[in-house]
Short mmCIF file of all heavy atoms in Angstrom, two decimals:
data_model
loop_
_atom_site.label_atom_id
_atom_site.label_comp_id
_atom_site.label_asym_id
_atom_site.label_seq_id
_atom_site.Cartn_x
_atom_site.Cartn_y
_atom_site.Cartn_z
N PRO A 158 -2.88 0.46 1.18
CA PRO A 158 -3.08 -0.55 2.26
C PRO A 158 -3.96 -1.75 1.94
O PRO A 158 -3.86 -2.76 2.65
CB PRO A 158 -3.62 0.33 3.40
CG PRO A 158 -3.33 1.71 3.04
CD PRO A 158 -3.38 1.75 1.56
N ASP A 159 -4.77 -1.64 0.84
CA ASP A 159 -5.51 -2.85 0.44
C ASP A 159 -4.66 -3.98 0.07
O ASP A 159 -5.06 -5.12 0.19
CB ASP A 159 -6.33 -2.49 -0.79
CG ASP A 159 -7.68 -1.84 -0.48
OD1 ASP A 159 -7.96 -1.66 0.69
OD2 ASP A 159 -8.42 -1.53 -1.38
N ASP A 160 -3.49 -3.68 -0.45
CA ASP A 160 -2.62 -4.70 -0.89
C ASP A 160 -1.64 -5.03 0.27
O ASP A 160 -0.95 -4.18 0.70
CB ASP A 160 -1.71 -4.28 -2.08
CG ASP A 160 -2.51 -4.32 -3.41
OD1 ASP A 160 -3.41 -5.20 -3.52
OD2 ASP A 160 -2.19 -3.54 -4.33
N ILE A 161 -1.62 -6.28 0.78
CA ILE A 161 -0.55 -6.62 1.72
C ILE A 161 0.28 -7.75 1.10
O ILE A 161 -0.22 -8.63 0.35
CB ILE A 161 -1.04 -6.94 3.18
CG1 ILE A 161 -2.11 -7.98 3.20
CG2 ILE A 161 -1.51 -5.71 3.84
CD1 ILE A 161 -2.51 -8.35 4.58
N VAL A 162 1.56 -7.70 1.37
CA VAL A 162 2.55 -8.60 0.76
C VAL A 162 3.20 -9.38 1.83
O VAL A 162 3.77 -8.82 2.75
CB VAL A 162 3.56 -7.89 -0.14
CG1 VAL A 162 4.46 -8.90 -0.84
CG2 VAL A 162 2.87 -6.99 -1.19
N GLN A 163 3.17 -10.71 1.71
CA GLN A 163 3.77 -11.57 2.71
C GLN A 163 5.14 -12.00 2.04
O GLN A 163 5.13 -12.55 0.98
CB GLN A 163 2.97 -12.85 2.88
CG GLN A 163 3.23 -13.57 4.12
CD GLN A 163 2.32 -14.74 4.33
OE1 GLN A 163 1.86 -15.34 3.34
NE2 GLN A 163 1.94 -15.10 5.52
N SER A 164 6.21 -11.54 2.69
CA SER A 164 7.57 -11.79 2.06
C SER A 164 8.66 -11.82 3.17
O SER A 164 8.40 -11.16 4.25
CB SER A 164 7.86 -10.69 1.05
OG SER A 164 7.76 -9.43 1.58
N SER A 165 9.79 -12.39 2.91
CA SER A 165 10.80 -12.33 3.96
C SER A 165 11.50 -10.97 3.95
O SER A 165 11.73 -10.39 5.06
CB SER A 165 11.86 -13.44 3.81
OG SER A 165 12.20 -13.59 2.48
N VAL A 166 11.69 -10.37 2.84
CA VAL A 166 12.19 -8.99 2.75
C VAL A 166 10.93 -8.11 2.30
O VAL A 166 10.28 -8.50 1.29
CB VAL A 166 13.36 -8.82 1.74
CG1 VAL A 166 13.74 -7.32 1.63
CG2 VAL A 166 14.49 -9.62 2.11
N GLY A 167 10.58 -7.05 3.04
CA GLY A 167 9.49 -6.25 2.69
C GLY A 167 9.42 -5.84 1.26
O GLY A 167 10.46 -5.60 0.65
N CYS A 168 8.27 -5.79 0.66
CA CYS A 168 8.09 -5.45 -0.78
C CYS A 168 8.77 -4.12 -1.04
O CYS A 168 9.50 -3.90 -2.03
CB CYS A 168 6.63 -5.50 -1.17
SG CYS A 168 6.41 -5.22 -2.90
N LEU A 169 8.42 -3.08 -0.22
CA LEU A 169 8.96 -1.73 -0.54
C LEU A 169 10.50 -1.73 -0.38
O LEU A 169 11.19 -1.12 -1.21
CB LEU A 169 8.35 -0.66 0.39
CG LEU A 169 8.78 0.77 0.04
CD1 LEU A 169 8.30 1.15 -1.29
CD2 LEU A 169 8.19 1.78 1.12
N GLN A 170 10.96 -2.51 0.55
CA GLN A 170 12.44 -2.59 0.70
C GLN A 170 13.08 -3.18 -0.57
O GLN A 170 14.18 -2.78 -0.93
CB GLN A 170 12.76 -3.44 1.94
CG GLN A 170 14.18 -3.29 2.43
CD GLN A 170 14.47 -4.09 3.70
OE1 GLN A 170 13.50 -4.34 4.50
NE2 GLN A 170 15.67 -4.44 3.92
N GLN A 171 12.43 -4.07 -1.15
CA GLN A 171 12.88 -4.68 -2.44
C GLN A 171 12.91 -3.58 -3.53
O GLN A 171 13.85 -3.54 -4.31
CB GLN A 171 12.04 -5.86 -2.92
CG GLN A 171 12.10 -7.06 -1.88
CD GLN A 171 11.18 -8.21 -2.35
OE1 GLN A 171 11.15 -8.59 -3.52
NE2 GLN A 171 10.45 -8.80 -1.43
N LEU A 172 11.96 -2.69 -3.52
CA LEU A 172 11.89 -1.66 -4.56
C LEU A 172 13.04 -0.63 -4.22
O LEU A 172 13.65 -0.14 -5.14
CB LEU A 172 10.55 -0.91 -4.46
CG LEU A 172 9.26 -1.65 -4.79
CD1 LEU A 172 8.15 -0.70 -5.11
CD2 LEU A 172 9.38 -2.65 -5.98
N VAL A 173 13.27 -0.40 -2.94
CA VAL A 173 14.26 0.60 -2.55
C VAL A 173 15.65 0.11 -3.04
O VAL A 173 16.49 0.87 -3.57
CB VAL A 173 14.28 0.89 -1.03
CG1 VAL A 173 15.57 1.59 -0.61
CG2 VAL A 173 13.03 1.61 -0.63
N ALA A 174 15.88 -1.17 -2.92
CA ALA A 174 17.17 -1.78 -3.40
C ALA A 174 17.39 -1.45 -4.85
O ALA A 174 18.50 -1.09 -5.26
CB ALA A 174 17.19 -3.31 -3.15
N VAL A 175 16.33 -1.50 -5.59
CA VAL A 175 16.41 -1.25 -7.09
C VAL A 175 16.58 0.31 -7.25
O VAL A 175 17.43 0.73 -7.99
CB VAL A 175 15.20 -1.78 -7.83
CG1 VAL A 175 15.06 -1.23 -9.22
CG2 VAL A 175 15.16 -3.28 -7.87
N TYR A 176 15.79 1.06 -6.60
CA TYR A 176 15.78 2.49 -6.67
C TYR A 176 17.20 3.06 -6.39
O TYR A 176 17.68 3.96 -7.08
CB TYR A 176 14.79 3.16 -5.71
CG TYR A 176 14.93 4.64 -5.53
CD1 TYR A 176 14.48 5.55 -6.49
CD2 TYR A 176 15.71 5.18 -4.44
CE1 TYR A 176 14.65 6.88 -6.32
CE2 TYR A 176 15.90 6.51 -4.35
CZ TYR A 176 15.35 7.37 -5.26
OH TYR A 176 15.53 8.72 -5.15
N ASN A 177 17.83 2.45 -5.39
CA ASN A 177 19.18 2.98 -5.05
C ASN A 177 20.22 2.74 -6.17
O ASN A 177 21.22 3.39 -6.27
CB ASN A 177 19.70 2.29 -3.77
CG ASN A 177 19.06 2.88 -2.56
OD1 ASN A 177 18.49 3.89 -2.53
ND2 ASN A 177 19.02 2.06 -1.42
N GLN A 178 19.92 1.75 -7.07
CA GLN A 178 20.75 1.55 -8.20
C GLN A 178 20.28 2.42 -9.40
O GLN A 178 21.14 2.95 -10.11
CB GLN A 178 20.60 0.05 -8.74
CG GLN A 178 20.97 -0.95 -7.65
CD GLN A 178 22.51 -0.94 -7.31
OE1 GLN A 178 23.30 -0.71 -8.21
NE2 GLN A 178 22.80 -0.99 -6.03
N THR A 179 19.03 2.40 -9.65
CA THR A 179 18.49 3.04 -10.93
C THR A 179 18.01 4.48 -10.75
O THR A 179 17.94 5.23 -11.72
CB THR A 179 17.25 2.21 -11.42
OG1 THR A 179 16.17 2.30 -10.46
CG2 THR A 179 17.61 0.83 -11.68
N GLY A 180 17.52 4.86 -9.53
CA GLY A 180 16.85 6.16 -9.36
C GLY A 180 15.51 6.13 -10.13
O GLY A 180 15.09 5.06 -10.61
N GLY A 181 14.88 7.28 -10.27
CA GLY A 181 13.64 7.37 -11.05
C GLY A 181 12.44 6.69 -10.43
O GLY A 181 12.38 6.59 -9.17
N ASN A 182 11.55 6.16 -11.21
CA ASN A 182 10.35 5.52 -10.74
C ASN A 182 10.44 4.03 -10.75
O ASN A 182 11.06 3.46 -11.70
CB ASN A 182 9.18 5.90 -11.66
CG ASN A 182 8.84 7.36 -11.56
OD1 ASN A 182 9.42 8.12 -10.74
ND2 ASN A 182 7.87 7.82 -12.31
N VAL A 183 9.96 3.40 -9.69
CA VAL A 183 10.08 1.94 -9.52
C VAL A 183 8.74 1.44 -9.03
O VAL A 183 8.20 1.96 -8.09
CB VAL A 183 11.15 1.59 -8.46
CG1 VAL A 183 11.29 0.08 -8.43
CG2 VAL A 183 12.51 2.25 -8.79
N LEU A 184 8.19 0.48 -9.76
CA LEU A 184 6.84 -0.17 -9.36
C LEU A 184 6.99 -1.58 -9.03
O LEU A 184 7.78 -2.31 -9.64
CB LEU A 184 5.92 -0.04 -10.62
CG LEU A 184 5.87 1.31 -11.34
CD1 LEU A 184 5.00 1.19 -12.56
CD2 LEU A 184 5.28 2.32 -10.39
N ALA A 185 6.17 -2.12 -8.08
CA ALA A 185 6.10 -3.50 -7.80
C ALA A 185 5.16 -4.08 -8.83
O ALA A 185 4.07 -3.59 -9.03
CB ALA A 185 5.58 -3.74 -6.39
N VAL A 186 5.56 -5.12 -9.53
CA VAL A 186 4.76 -5.72 -10.56
C VAL A 186 4.57 -7.20 -10.40
O VAL A 186 5.47 -7.89 -9.77
CB VAL A 186 5.24 -5.42 -11.97
CG1 VAL A 186 5.34 -3.94 -12.26
CG2 VAL A 186 6.67 -6.03 -12.20
N SER A 187 3.49 -7.78 -10.91
CA SER A 187 3.19 -9.14 -10.69
C SER A 187 2.42 -9.66 -11.94
O SER A 187 1.57 -8.92 -12.49
CB SER A 187 2.38 -9.20 -9.41
OG SER A 187 1.65 -10.31 -9.32
N GLU A 188 2.69 -10.96 -12.29
CA GLU A 188 2.04 -11.52 -13.46
C GLU A 188 0.57 -11.88 -13.05
O GLU A 188 0.38 -12.42 -11.97
CB GLU A 188 2.78 -12.80 -13.81
CG GLU A 188 2.84 -13.21 -15.28
CD GLU A 188 3.82 -12.35 -16.08
OE1 GLU A 188 4.97 -12.14 -15.61
OE2 GLU A 188 3.41 -11.91 -17.18
N ILE A 189 -0.36 -11.62 -13.92
CA ILE A 189 -1.77 -11.93 -13.61
C ILE A 189 -2.38 -12.65 -14.80
O ILE A 189 -1.83 -12.51 -15.92
CB ILE A 189 -2.58 -10.67 -13.28
CG1 ILE A 189 -2.35 -9.56 -14.36
CG2 ILE A 189 -2.29 -10.09 -11.96
CD1 ILE A 189 -3.63 -8.86 -14.68
N PRO A 190 -3.50 -13.36 -14.59
CA PRO A 190 -4.12 -14.00 -15.72
C PRO A 190 -4.69 -12.89 -16.69
O PRO A 190 -5.16 -11.83 -16.21
CB PRO A 190 -5.35 -14.74 -15.11
CG PRO A 190 -5.13 -14.74 -13.71
CD PRO A 190 -4.21 -13.61 -13.31
N ARG A 191 -4.63 -13.15 -18.00
CA ARG A 191 -5.02 -12.13 -18.94
C ARG A 191 -6.45 -11.58 -18.77
O ARG A 191 -6.71 -10.43 -18.92
CB ARG A 191 -4.85 -12.66 -20.44
CG ARG A 191 -5.19 -11.70 -21.49
CD ARG A 191 -4.62 -11.95 -22.86
NE ARG A 191 -3.21 -11.53 -22.96
CZ ARG A 191 -2.76 -10.33 -23.31
NH1 ARG A 191 -3.69 -9.38 -23.58
NH2 ARG A 191 -1.52 -10.05 -23.36
N GLU A 192 -7.36 -12.50 -18.27
CA GLU A 192 -8.76 -12.06 -18.07
C GLU A 192 -8.84 -10.98 -16.94
O GLU A 192 -9.91 -10.47 -16.78
CB GLU A 192 -9.66 -13.24 -17.91
CG GLU A 192 -9.42 -14.11 -16.68
CD GLU A 192 -8.52 -15.31 -16.97
OE1 GLU A 192 -7.63 -15.20 -17.96
OE2 GLU A 192 -8.63 -16.31 -16.29
N HIS A 193 -7.80 -10.78 -16.17
CA HIS A 193 -7.86 -9.85 -15.08
C HIS A 193 -7.27 -8.47 -15.37
O HIS A 193 -7.15 -7.63 -14.56
CB HIS A 193 -7.21 -10.39 -13.82
CG HIS A 193 -7.94 -11.58 -13.25
ND1 HIS A 193 -7.42 -12.30 -12.27
CD2 HIS A 193 -9.20 -12.07 -13.57
CE1 HIS A 193 -8.26 -13.30 -11.88
NE2 HIS A 193 -9.35 -13.16 -12.71
N THR A 194 -6.76 -8.25 -16.63
CA THR A 194 -6.03 -7.05 -16.98
C THR A 194 -6.88 -5.78 -16.75
O THR A 194 -6.42 -4.70 -16.44
CB THR A 194 -5.54 -6.94 -18.35
OG1 THR A 194 -6.64 -7.09 -19.32
CG2 THR A 194 -4.51 -8.02 -18.65
N ASN A 195 -8.28 -5.92 -16.79
CA ASN A 195 -9.14 -4.84 -16.56
C ASN A 195 -9.34 -4.39 -15.13
O ASN A 195 -10.14 -3.61 -14.76
CB ASN A 195 -10.46 -4.99 -17.27
CG ASN A 195 -11.15 -6.30 -16.88
OD1 ASN A 195 -10.61 -6.98 -15.93
ND2 ASN A 195 -12.27 -6.59 -17.42
N ARG A 196 -8.56 -5.01 -14.22
CA ARG A 196 -8.60 -4.67 -12.76
C ARG A 196 -7.32 -3.86 -12.37
O ARG A 196 -7.30 -3.41 -11.21
CB ARG A 196 -8.65 -5.93 -11.93
CG ARG A 196 -9.78 -6.83 -12.20
CD ARG A 196 -9.72 -8.02 -11.24
NE ARG A 196 -10.70 -9.06 -11.59
CZ ARG A 196 -10.83 -10.19 -11.00
NH1 ARG A 196 -9.91 -10.51 -10.00
NH2 ARG A 196 -11.63 -11.06 -11.42
N TYR A 197 -6.31 -3.77 -13.24
CA TYR A 197 -5.06 -3.24 -12.79
C TYR A 197 -4.48 -2.26 -13.78
O TYR A 197 -4.88 -2.18 -14.94
CB TYR A 197 -4.04 -4.35 -12.61
CG TYR A 197 -4.39 -5.41 -11.65
CD1 TYR A 197 -5.00 -6.58 -12.02
CD2 TYR A 197 -4.23 -5.22 -10.26
CE1 TYR A 197 -5.40 -7.55 -11.09
CE2 TYR A 197 -4.60 -6.18 -9.37
CZ TYR A 197 -5.23 -7.40 -9.78
OH TYR A 197 -5.53 -8.34 -8.85
N GLY A 198 -3.43 -1.52 -13.32
CA GLY A 198 -2.53 -0.83 -14.22
C GLY A 198 -1.62 -1.85 -14.83
O GLY A 198 -1.08 -2.77 -14.16
#
Side-chain angles (χ1 to χ4, degrees):
D159 273 1
D160 282 331
I161 53 176
V162 182
Q163 199 177 32
S164 56
S165 45
V166 176
C168 183
L169 186 63
Q170 199 176 332
Q171 296 178 44
L172 300 195
V173 168
V175 169
Y176 168 82
N177 286 341
Q178 302 294 319
T179 62
N182 291 358
V183 184
L184 311 175
V186 298
S187 158
E188 213 78 45
I189 49 143
R191 182 158 280 273
E192 62 267 28
H193 293 171
T194 58
N195 55 4
R196 301 183 190 174
Y197 300 99

